[in-house]
Amino acid sequence: MERIPLWERAPLFEESFDQPAPSLTPYLLPGGGARGAVIVCPGGGYVMKADHEGAPIAERLNELGFHAFVLDYRVAPYRHPVPLLDVQRAIRLVRHRAQEFGVKPDKIAILGFSAGGHLVCTAATHYDAGDPAAVDPIDRESCRPDLFVPCYAVASLTGFWHEGSAHSLLGEKTDPRQLRALTAEFCVTEDTPPCFLWHTAEDGAVPVENSLRLAAALTAHNVPVSLHVFPFGPHGVGLGREDSPLAEDWPDLLADFLRTMGF
């Protein structure tokens, strides 16, 4: 698959960090008619991106009838807001080129695992309508996702958090106010997009309370939410086919939710 650079020159890019420029890898279905699309953000504690949470997920989404893109976002030693800038730009880019890709511009979802789940939670609660005066036409597009899918996500940086992800994103010295500002449950509003989220009850790295608290906040603000907690499986199960057989149903459940939402 050919990678699509997010920018000609990415902002805050550091050659010395020895990471590629942020990019999207498209997994587009053939045939006419616009479809919904899902941008996939693999997890990896904001220090790497897990292979099993990238291409295999996009391919499964294709099997279910959706376009997909895998985002190669920047990780440590990059700090916040760099990963957020990358996913916001990815949403703008797909929306700007929606006709070319065969994507419905108002049906662009973001999906992420673990720390990638934190990233999509942040993008779903921190967005703008675009800058109509921007020289770059991509920057004129909204970066609000139309739906978000946190998968065993680090949704919280204040309660049942994942210390490694927080320190990789923010550094060793963390400001409590910044931690709260990047905790999804405190940032939900009535304008937050619909959400599908899932977790395993046995997750020993990122406790299931991350998803439970986020779902409660979404419900309190009347945001459509579909929450699924599977009883067995460790952290990082991906498609769940080996480590957590019960969790392997989540893509089909997600597909039903996406179709219900017009994807």
Side-chain angles (χ1 to χ4, degrees):
M1 298 287 181
E2 182 180 353
R3 295 188 172 207
I4 302 171
L6 297 185
W7 290 273
E8 285 189 19
R9 174 68 182 179
L12 305 177
F13 187 75
E14 292 287 346
E15 295 279 357
S16 62
F17 288 173
D18 196 27
Q19 291 183 36
S23 65
L24 277 175
T25 301
Y27 292 76
L28 301 177
L29 293 167
R35 304 170 186 261
V38 182
I39 299 170
V40 178
C41 301
Y46 283 118
V47 294
M48 50 83 75
K49 276 85 66 178
D51 289 340
H52 75 290
E53 295 170 348
I57 307 303
E59 291 165 356
R60 182 73 181 107
L61 288 164
N62 282 173
E63 291 172 0
L64 293 165
F66 307 99
H67 293 310
F69 299 82
V70 176
L71 176 61
D72 187 2
Y73 59 95
R74 287 171 283 178
V75 296
Y78 287 104
R79 304 295 191 201
H80 176 74
V82 172
L84 178 60
L85 295 177
D86 291 349
V87 70
Q88 289 177 333
R89 176 71 173 190
I91 296 166
R92 297 188 210 275
L93 188 153
V94 173
R95 186 161 281 138
H96 182 70
R97 297 175 61 177
Q99 184 173 4
E100 172 191 345
F101 293 142
V103 167
K104 296 178 180 179
D106 60 346
K107 299 299 176 187
I108 299 170
I110 50 175
L111 178 156
F113 297 87
S114 192
H118 178 266
L119 182 57
V120 304
C121 287
T122 306
T125 52
H126 299 72
Y127 49 80
D128 60 64
D131 179 3
V135 174
D136 185 343
I138 295 174
D139 286 336
R140 300 172 199 163
E141 302 285 354
S142 168
C143 65
R144 180 186 182 273
D146 300 298
L147 189 147
F148 70 117
V149 186
C151 309
Y152 44 85
V154 182
S156 174
L157 294 184
T158 60
F160 296 87
W161 70 326
H162 184 253
E163 185 175 4
S165 295
H167 288 165
S168 295
L169 181 64
L170 300 172
E172 293 295 321
K173 294 182 179 179
T174 53
D175 182 340
R177 292 169 298 179
Q178 188 176 41
L179 292 174
R180 185 180 177 89
L182 295 176
T183 292
E185 66 192 81
F186 299 127
C187 301
V188 170
T189 70
E190 285 73 14
D191 189 53
T192 299
C195 179
F196 177 101
L197 68 167
W198 69 275
H199 224 111
T200 60
E202 287 186 336
D203 194 325
V206 178
V208 68
E209 283 83 358
N210 280 262
S211 291
L212 299 179
R213 290 185 173 192
L214 175 56
L218 292 162
T219 300
H221 287 83
N222 298 311
V223 176
V225 58
S226 182
L227 168 66
H228 302 269
V229 178
F230 301 100
F232 308 117
H235 187 69
V237 298
L239 289 172
R241 289 170 174 163
E242 296 178 2
D243 293 326
S244 182
L246 289 175
E248 69 179 351
D249 290 338
W250 76 261
D252 297 286
L253 295 168
L254 170 61
D256 289 340
F257 187 69
L258 289 170
R259 294 186 192 108
T260 300
M261 295 296 164
F263 280 69

